[in-house]
Amino acid sequence: MTTPGTAAHVSHVAAAAAAVRRGPRAHRHRLLVRPVLAEDRPVVEDLLRDSEAPGAEAWIAGMWDRWLRSAGSLLAVAETEEGISALSVTTLVSRSEAYLHCFRARPRHYFLVAYHRLFLFGIAWALTRGRSVVRWAINRERFGRFEAGLSELFEGRVLPAGSFGYWDADPLPDVDYRLLPRERDRELSNLWSSKDRSRTLWAPYWYWRRLTWADLVKELRLDRVLHDGDARAMFIQAPLGPYLLWAEGPPDELTACARMFRGYAAARGDRPRALLPNTPDIDEALAQAGFVRRATYSIYETPLTPDALLTFGRALS
């Protein structure tokens, strides 16, 4: 829901978003940014085929109707006279947070032309739906060259929000695993309350957002928290298998949890994957447990205000 303060600026938001199409660079490249249409699906599937996140086809199938209705998630395309050249997805991940992701372009150089306006289009959409912060992740190996450009575009409003590694491993049969009993939630509560959690992020289904105590309790009640000594490791069960998404504790005990996670996946015929913050302890634990890093992501965020959006719009004009 749009807040009263935001509603008063809706016309300004629309004006800033319109800069996506009317700036001189947009004119030079004859670029139109718009929501996806039903007939765009073959092009969307082609652009997302090289996604590093597994299960892109199943994700498209599950989200397509929502995208057509803009129901909690917006798929926007950048279209030239030759057809669709780039796309992005904006998802509302909580009552206050939005996430920009899945930027794709073909040929690759079109990304340099389109991504500024795709960002602005998604930000305007999230702002008019009452979100106050937007985040995005950049794969350092594939798209690290865009990090500086985005910071310059947003004129110092971009804040680093974290760094995460994507890891996977082969299942490890015949390894016992210990799930924290639900009645021992006090242990989890003590660990959770031992530090400031206002900046703790996690990435359920590859959407980075704040991790809350309610999130941990939910997974504990679903028997998805591993434990060894003072270490705790929480995972979710995604359509393509389990993902380890939060872990804290001494390095040796974290390693034991990571090995148990491989055993848990093996018992279900799944492949274990992890999206966890880059810290020395976690990196060491995962490597010692046999996981291999496949990608590194820089996470950024910017507050969503009408004034900020107008600033972005001026950068495009």
Side-chain angles (χ1 to χ4, degrees):
M1 180 180 295
T2 305
T3 63
T6 302
H9 295 274
V10 166
S11 62
H12 298 291
V13 170
V20 169
R21 294 184 287 274
R22 70 166 182 256
R25 281 176 288 180
H27 175 72
R28 182 168 70 244
H29 297 287
R30 295 185 177 87
L31 189 69
L32 171 70
V33 176
R34 60 168 175 80
V36 71
L37 301 174
E39 56 266 30
D40 299 330
R41 184 163 182 170
V43 180
V44 169
E45 290 177 340
D46 186 52
L47 281 168
L48 290 177
R49 188 166 290 126
D50 68 341
S51 173
E52 66 266 24
E57 291 183 2
W59 180 59
I60 294 170
M63 291 294 295
W64 189 253
D65 288 341
R66 288 182 60 189
W67 285 334
L68 291 180
R69 303 192 313 271
S70 294
S73 189
L74 169 75
L75 194 156
V77 298
E79 189 173 33
T80 64
E81 292 178 344
E82 292 76 27
I84 294 172
S85 62
L87 63 82
S88 70
V89 176
T90 308
T91 299
L92 308 179
V93 295
S94 77
R95 293 182 178 181
S96 62
E97 301 163 291
Y99 182 68
L100 294 166
H101 57 121
C102 264
F103 285 83
R104 293 290 183 273
R106 188 173 293 131
R108 187 66 64 85
H109 72 271
Y110 275 126
F111 191 78
L112 293 169
V113 176
Y115 80 103
H116 300 82
R117 288 178 283 282
L118 286 167
F119 256 76
L120 185 57
F121 198 83
I123 285 172
W125 181 83
L127 178 58
T128 56
R129 285 155 180 80
R131 271 46 183 187
S132 59
V133 64
V134 62
R135 296 187 185 90
W136 59 90
I138 293 181
N139 182 316
R140 290 180 186 171
E141 289 78 16
R142 299 183 69 185
F143 304 111
R145 62 191 181 280
F146 296 113
E147 291 186 72
L150 286 171
S151 297
E152 292 172 4
L153 170 67
F154 292 162
E155 299 185 4
R157 295 177 183 269
V158 174
L159 301 173
S163 177
F164 280 68
Y166 170 49
W167 306 68
D168 69 3
D170 292 328
L172 196 61
D174 303 322
V175 172
D176 292 332
Y177 54 87
R178 292 184 294 278
L179 297 171
L180 188 67
R182 301 175 189 182
E183 62 272 15
R184 289 169 61 181
D185 60 334
R186 175 61 66 86
E187 298 176 20
L188 202 58
S189 175
N190 291 340
L191 179 59
W192 178 255
S193 60
S194 65
K195 62 178 70 174
D196 178 14
R197 299 294 178 177
S198 62
R199 305 292 296 172
T200 301
L201 300 180
W202 70 320
Y205 310 103
W206 291 79
Y207 306 148
W208 272 268
R209 66 172 177 85
R210 280 190 60 191
L211 177 65
T212 68
W213 171 242
D215 294 321
L216 275 180
V217 170
K218 174 185 174 183
E219 302 307 328
L220 174 64
R221 291 173 178 169
L222 292 170
D223 300 319
R224 294 175 182 170
V225 178
L226 297 159
H227 70 107
D228 185 83
D230 292 329
R232 303 291 182 267
M234 179 266 284
F235 60 93
I236 67 168
Q237 187 66 39
L240 290 181
Y243 274 75
L244 192 63
L245 297 180
W246 176 79
E248 289 186 9
D252 289 348
E253 294 166 358
L254 284 176
T255 298
C257 286
R259 282 180 54 84
M260 286 191 285
F261 183 57
R262 292 180 64 190
Y264 175 90
R268 284 152 180 76
D270 290 327
R271 184 171 185 81
R273 299 179 175 93
L275 266 173
L276 289 171
N278 286 318
T279 70
D281 286 352
I282 289 177
D283 292 353
E284 177 185 352
L286 290 175
Q288 289 291 329
F291 280 78
V292 176
R293 183 194 296 270
R294 302 299 182 185
T296 301
Y297 294 90
S298 296
I299 316 302
Y300 294 92
E301 66 181 37
T302 189
L304 292 186
T305 65
D307 289 343
L309 189 60
L310 288 170
T311 298
F312 305 157
R314 286 192 295 270
L316 294 171
S317 60

